[in-house]
Amino acid sequence: MLFLLQGSPLQARQDKSYYMAAIIAAGIAVLAILVNLIIQAAKRNSSSGRDANKTTTPSIINRVAAIYELSLPEKDFLLKICRKKKIPNLEVNLRNEQFGELFFSEQYHDLKENADISEDELQNNLALLFSIHQKVDNSLRSLSNLTSTSNFPEGGTVQYYSDNKEQFPLQILSVQKDGLWLSIPRDVLNNEVRPPELSKINLFYQTKTNTAYLASVRVLRYQKTTDSGEMVVNHCNNLQRYQRRQYKRIAINRTCRFSSVKVTTGGSGENAKITYTPLENQYQGTLLELSVGGCSILTTMNIKPNQYIHLYLSVNGLDEDQITGIIVNTDVSPETDRYVLHILFLKVSKKTRNRIFTKVYDYV
């Protein structure tokens, strides 16, 4: 009989062989797991492509409702559309921004062209459609992550805010290696507003899903390769994600009127009722920005924040819309002796909300 003494050369050789075998076995196991994960991922990607063409079912709608936190009326409305039109898998396809834009645009125009529903039903359906659109946009916005101005799309728009807090929309004419070629800023009278060469300016860019980014850039030069000329700024490779507002907002240049508001209350507790009554005197202003949640107007009047205001404007350029809001901030423009009132909407009719959504999403 052979006895092994502790610490003997033979035992050491056997221990090394044991550990080596264990390491090899563990490596094989890890490799097998990795191979299996790769195979499963490939299967998921392959099935995802097939699933995109699958017709949306009630079970898919339930998952979509959970993902985007849809209300029961919104879920039922979406299910009704999918049953009628055999829409491809919304759970997969709504992640694609282009598919979403086309889908919502088509549903909007179908509703507007439907002569078999009443005006009230039309406005209710439009309100549901826009509410779903907004929730999908907000979800996609949380996934958006641009890092450089070199990724801005040609033909898009950026907003330039001057030192006087005036806003100028600039078109992205070209994206070059050395920077962005932008249209030259112009004021409401179409006069050129040129930031000095080599000065730093801030640009805001907003995606279709309402994610906003701040870019700090330097004005490199002005050139005239087109009749209108261009302002060239360098690229910014460290964009700051800028949470602006819940609702998508657009630049707009349209005259409006406004008046003060008398606020009265009646009742108490659950029966309390607030009444907003616009006063008779009206004043002129220019609508600069617009969203479902609020707007900005330019005026010669310096009105302090926390004042109630009643607006008379035309969202579609045809019909008059009336909105009651409150001024949340007032910016001063010393050079032009004008003021920008930033207004939060408090009372907006369903029809006006739908008109604003139509304008914001450019459904014409």
Side-chain angles (χ1 to χ4, degrees):
M1 176 176 287
L2 177 65
F3 293 92
L4 298 178
L5 298 176
Q6 186 175 2
S8 68
L10 179 58
Q11 184 182 20
R13 287 195 297 273
Q14 289 181 342
D15 287 345
K16 289 180 181 179
S17 299
Y18 172 79
Y19 288 127
M20 184 62 70
I23 292 172
I24 293 173
I28 293 174
V30 171
L31 182 61
I33 292 172
L34 291 175
V35 170
N36 183 61
L37 289 174
I38 293 172
I39 293 173
Q40 293 300 321
K43 288 181 177 179
R44 283 196 298 270
N45 290 337
S46 176
S47 63
S48 176
R50 293 194 300 270
D51 289 346
N53 297 320
K54 178 181 178 181
T55 300
T56 301
T57 61
S59 60
I60 290 177
I61 288 294
N62 287 335
R63 293 197 294 272
V64 168
I67 292 170
Y68 301 109
E69 299 182 353
L70 304 184
S71 66
L72 182 58
E74 291 167 348
K75 185 180 80 169
D76 291 342
F77 175 71
L78 202 57
L79 179 58
K80 183 178 178 181
I81 292 175
C82 293
R83 279 176 170 168
K84 180 180 179 181
K85 299 185 178 181
K86 309 296 182 185
I87 302 296
N89 192 340
L90 287 182
E91 183 182 10
V92 175
N93 291 312
L94 279 181
R95 302 170 194 162
N96 184 302
E97 188 174 316
Q98 291 182 336
F99 176 93
E101 284 296 316
L102 181 60
F103 170 76
F104 288 112
S105 176
E106 287 179 349
Q107 308 321 311
Y108 169 82
H109 288 100
D110 286 350
L111 287 172
K112 292 287 287 184
E113 294 167 6
N114 188 350
D116 297 330
I117 60 176
S118 66
E119 179 65 19
D120 284 345
E121 188 177 359
L122 170 63
Q123 296 303 325
N124 287 334
N125 287 341
L126 287 176
L128 288 170
L129 181 70
F130 286 132
S131 180
I132 297 169
H133 196 338
Q134 175 204 334
K135 289 181 178 181
V136 172
D137 280 357
N138 288 344
S139 177
L140 293 177
R141 178 179 61 186
S142 66
L143 301 175
S144 179
N145 189 27
L146 288 177
T147 58
S148 172
T149 53
S150 60
N151 300 125
F152 286 179
E154 292 187 358
T157 302
V158 294
Q159 303 293 329
Y160 157 58
Y161 285 84
S162 69
D163 293 338
N164 298 322
K165 298 184 179 180
E166 289 187 281
Q167 175 183 330
F168 303 92
L170 309 178
Q171 186 178 7
I172 303 173
L173 303 175
S174 181
V175 180
Q176 301 290 335
K177 288 184 178 180
D178 66 336
L180 298 176
W181 293 15
L182 305 172
S183 59
I184 297 175
R186 293 180 180 272
D187 62 19
V188 293
L189 301 177
N190 204 36
N191 297 315
E192 288 189 353
V193 179
R194 296 193 175 206
E197 290 187 1
L198 302 183
S199 66
K200 278 198 169 184
I201 62 174
N202 288 325
L203 301 177
F204 288 90
Y205 172 71
Q206 183 170 283
T207 67
K208 289 183 179 180
T209 56
N210 202 25
T211 307
Y213 294 91
L214 168 65
S216 179
V217 298
R218 191 178 298 277
V219 179
L220 299 179
R221 64 183 182 276
Y222 291 91
Q223 60 188 29
K224 200 170 179 61
T225 62
T226 62
D227 292 339
S228 300
E230 304 90 31
M231 178 176 72
V232 181
V233 301
N234 69 308
H235 280 305
C236 173
N237 295 317
N238 56 342
L239 295 178
Q240 298 180 40
R241 188 162 168 162
Y242 185 68
Q243 294 293 348
R244 298 189 69 189
R245 304 169 179 92
Q246 179 183 4
Y247 300 102
K248 183 177 180 180
R249 178 168 291 216
I250 60 168
I252 190 171
N253 185 356
R254 186 166 292 171
T255 58
C256 63
R257 308 187 316 279
F258 62 91
S259 64
S260 299
V261 174
K262 179 182 178 182
V263 182
T264 56
T265 58
S268 60
E270 294 181 355
N271 297 321
K273 183 179 180 181
I274 301 177
T275 302
Y276 303 100
T277 305
L279 301 183
E280 183 177 352
N281 291 336
Q282 297 183 11
Y283 308 93
Q284 292 292 122
T286 301
L287 190 63
L288 297 180
E289 285 187 320
L290 179 65
S291 80
V292 172
C295 71
S296 298
I297 64 174
L298 184 69
T299 176
T300 57
M301 299 186 65
N302 183 11
I303 307 177
K304 294 181 179 180
N306 300 320
Q307 304 296 309
Y308 291 93
I309 189 171
H310 192 78
L311 300 171
Y312 303 85
L313 51 91
S314 178
V315 176
N316 61 11
L318 300 173
D319 305 287
E320 182 178 77
D321 298 284
Q322 297 190 33
I323 302 172
T324 301
I326 186 171
I327 301 171
V328 294
N329 191 26
T330 300
D331 291 333
V332 184
S333 176
E335 290 186 357
T336 57
D337 196 28
R338 290 178 294 181
Y339 304 88
V340 178
L341 310 181
H342 302 281
I343 300 165
L344 174 68
F345 293 158
L346 299 177
K347 187 176 179 182
V348 189
S349 71
K350 185 178 294 184
K351 181 177 286 189
T352 294
R353 280 177 60 90
N354 288 337
R355 283 176 181 161
I356 296 174
F357 269 126
T358 300
K359 182 69 176 176
V360 166
Y361 287 122
D362 197 24
Y363 292 159
V364 294

